[in-house]
Amino acid sequence: MVEIAPFNVPLPRRAQTLSVFLWASFLPICLTLFLLCLTIPVLWPLLIIYLIWSYFDKAPRTGSRKSEWVRRLPLWRWFVDFFPLRVIKEAELDPKHNYLFGYHPHGIIAVGAWGTFGTEGANISQLFPGLNIRLLTLDSNFNVPFYRDLLMAFGLASVARKSCNNILQKGPGNSCMIVVGGASESLTAFPGTFNLILKRRYGFVKVAMRNGARLVPVLAFGETDVYDQVKSKPGTWLHWIQHKIQAIFGFTTPIVIGRGIFIYDFGALPHRRPIHVVVGKPIEVKQMDNPTNEDAQVYHEQYMAQLQEIFDKYKDVYAPDRQSDLKFIE
């Protein structure tokens, strides 16, 4: 039977669900608003100016236009409490240095990364005072009218290498958060699993080395639990279509099952399942102008070893019902 939300749900829980619904609706709201503006001829000159300006706008690659007011809205405290989402830090981070955070696993849409680093819902600036951490996302997201400006208000920037360099070179404390696994990893995101696509990903390590930024591994327990996913086996048409979309657009479309606002069994919203984000210890790297994969491998191995250490330390506390242990699958 379909489980329907009761009428007597406490007001705080309704507010939490509302915040998650608004977050999930950002893109369709922005697209709808833009299409509505297109139906009003008097707005066409303004839209043309806006689109031209957006094309030449460099802000997505510089990390500018962050609004602390937007990030600190009560809405995001409700968002964090929905799951709930909690942050555990393994070490203090000196604001005299720059840091490149790597978030794992990607899950379906990196919900924990958004709640922790895209907003102040988890009080990240109080946990790491003096750091200006920018969550990075696909460059293509900044091609969507209005949506691009909303993302920048939350402090998000492009994950392009040039963007990382610009941010890390702004001065002490300026740091980046990259969801390293990317779209490919989302296809492996099943509840209770920790499958990381990391073995051959040296790019983020080399970015840290070029800029003298310290690497900080971040492991989120529960990230893969908030959505269920239909498994696509290699050789099936669904598997072929998903990888084709990824090759063309840079992202993929896993078939997910979440919950709705009034129905708990299916929908587009994530389930209420706890997420614990463990921020590891910084790894100091040697600054180099043009590091090779061999140069990066030393720090890459340290990084993977610390992820394994974090997992082993907290797996029985935050993932006692896991289906598998931490796996570096690619």
Side-chain angles (χ1 to χ4, degrees):
M1 295 180 64
V2 174
E3 186 179 1
I4 300 175
F7 287 105
N8 59 345
V9 173
L11 187 59
R13 289 178 66 87
R14 291 191 183 276
Q16 293 162 13
T17 304
L18 173 63
S19 68
V20 174
F21 171 75
L22 289 174
W23 163 76
S25 304
F26 277 165
L27 181 57
I29 287 173
C30 290
L31 286 174
T32 301
L33 181 60
F34 179 70
L35 292 175
L36 285 175
C37 290
L38 287 178
T39 65
I40 306 174
V42 71
L43 295 179
W44 291 354
L46 294 176
L47 290 177
I48 292 172
I49 293 171
Y50 169 77
L51 292 174
I52 294 173
W53 170 77
S54 297
Y55 180 80
F56 291 102
D57 183 26
K58 297 180 180 179
R61 288 186 170 85
T62 61
S64 57
R65 305 217 190 98
K66 183 162 100 171
S67 168
E68 288 298 329
W69 178 80
V70 171
R71 287 172 55 87
R72 295 177 185 276
L73 287 171
L75 196 68
W76 309 120
R77 169 55 63 185
W78 302 341
F79 181 93
V80 164
D81 289 341
F82 173 87
F83 299 96
L85 190 159
R86 299 292 180 259
V87 182
I88 300 94
K89 68 176 183 179
E90 289 278 278
E92 298 293 337
L93 300 181
D94 189 344
K96 294 179 181 178
H97 302 291
N98 305 92
Y99 301 90
L100 195 155
F101 297 79
Y103 184 91
H104 312 268
H106 181 283
I108 298 300
I109 198 170
V111 172
W114 170 267
T116 305
F117 297 94
T119 76
E120 281 295 325
N123 297 318
I124 196 67
S125 63
Q126 293 180 28
L127 286 171
F128 300 107
L131 296 188
N132 186 1
I133 307 170
R134 294 173 177 85
L135 178 61
L136 305 185
T137 186
L138 290 173
D139 194 60
S140 58
N141 284 325
F142 297 96
N143 296 329
V144 182
F146 302 159
Y147 185 58
R148 65 187 302 279
D149 304 289
L150 185 59
L151 292 180
M152 285 189 285
F154 284 99
L156 272 68
S158 167
V159 76
R161 186 175 67 180
K162 185 176 181 180
S163 173
C164 296
N165 293 335
N166 288 338
I167 292 168
L168 293 172
Q169 292 169 9
K170 280 179 175 288
N174 286 282
S175 304
C176 299
M177 160 58 73
I178 299 177
V179 184
V180 179
S184 300
E185 201 173 273
S186 65
L187 295 179
T188 72
F190 298 97
T193 63
F194 296 83
N195 300 318
L196 307 188
I197 296 179
L198 183 60
K199 286 182 178 179
R200 296 192 298 272
R201 301 215 165 178
Y202 295 105
F204 74 103
V205 179
K206 290 193 279 188
V207 167
M209 294 176 71
R210 288 191 190 96
N211 295 281
R214 301 185 176 194
L215 287 167
V216 182
V218 179
L219 188 62
F221 293 84
E223 179 65 58
T224 58
D225 296 339
V226 296
Y227 282 103
D228 299 312
Q229 180 179 177
V230 176
K231 185 173 291 188
S232 61
K233 297 180 180 179
T236 63
W237 63 271
L238 178 57
H239 187 268
W240 181 85
I241 289 174
Q242 288 175 328
H243 282 273
K244 203 66 170 177
I245 291 174
Q246 181 187 341
I248 296 172
F249 297 106
F251 61 88
T252 190
T253 53
I255 308 301
V256 300
I257 303 170
R259 55 156 285 177
I261 299 177
F262 303 110
I263 298 176
Y264 292 152
D265 297 280
F266 58 88
L269 303 186
H271 292 289
R272 282 183 182 268
R273 294 168 184 168
I275 301 174
H276 294 90
V277 179
V278 181
V279 181
K281 301 171 185 176
I283 300 170
E284 188 172 354
V285 304
K286 180 180 179 181
Q287 188 166 5
M288 301 178 66
D289 290 335
N290 294 295
T292 64
N293 284 352
E294 289 72 25
D295 296 324
Q297 187 174 5
V298 176
Y299 305 111
H300 189 271
E301 289 177 354
Q302 293 180 36
Y303 184 91
M304 291 176 65
Q306 192 176 143
L307 281 173
Q308 185 67 59
E309 183 181 327
I310 292 171
F311 180 80
D312 291 339
K313 181 178 180 180
Y314 293 101
K315 62 182 180 182
D316 293 328
V317 179
Y318 299 133
D321 300 322
R322 61 191 180 278
Q323 300 299 310
S324 64
D325 285 338
L326 183 67
K327 294 180 182 178
F328 300 105
I329 57 176
E330 287 184 32

